[in-house]
């Protein structure tokens, strides 16, 4: 006994042809892939640069020391 597939084979082949016809990078082919591949890393980079800059500013001005 074999397990039935999640999707019909016709739908799977149709989506496969669609994704293979798109001339973009593989990680940007889906509709929400720009959020996970571009926006989240940019947000993490921006916040880390801000925190590093604030830390350097605080160290150079002596702000936030615990006595």
């Amino acid at each position: 006994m074999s397990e039935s597939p999640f999707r019909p084979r016709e739908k799977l082949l149709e989506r496969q042809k669609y994704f293979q016809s798109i001339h973009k990078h593989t990680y940007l082919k889906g509709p929400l892939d720009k959020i996970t591949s571009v926006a989240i890393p940019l947000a993490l980079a921006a916040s880390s640069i801000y925190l590093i800059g604030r830390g350097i500013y605080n160290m150079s001005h002596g702000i936030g020391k615990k006595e």
Side-chain angles (χ1 to χ4, degrees):
M1 292 180 66
S2 65
E3 188 176 334
S4 63
F6 292 115
R7 289 179 181 250
R9 185 170 293 281
E10 297 81 24
K11 290 276 189 188
L12 187 64
L13 290 174
E14 181 182 314
R15 288 190 57 87
Q16 192 175 22
K17 285 179 186 175
Y18 168 73
F19 279 113
Q20 288 175 352
S21 68
I22 297 176
H23 295 292
K24 288 184 183 177
H25 293 292
T26 307
Y27 56 90
L28 292 176
K29 287 189 176 181
L32 296 177
D33 288 344
K34 289 186 180 92
I35 294 172
T36 57
S37 295
V38 178
I40 293 173
L42 281 178
L44 289 173
S47 63
S48 64
I49 288 172
Y50 168 74
L51 290 172
I52 290 170
R54 192 176 78 176
I56 291 172
Y57 177 83
N58 287 346
M59 281 194 296
S60 63
H61 290 88
I63 300 171
K65 293 197 293 187
K66 290 185 178 180
E67 287 187 53

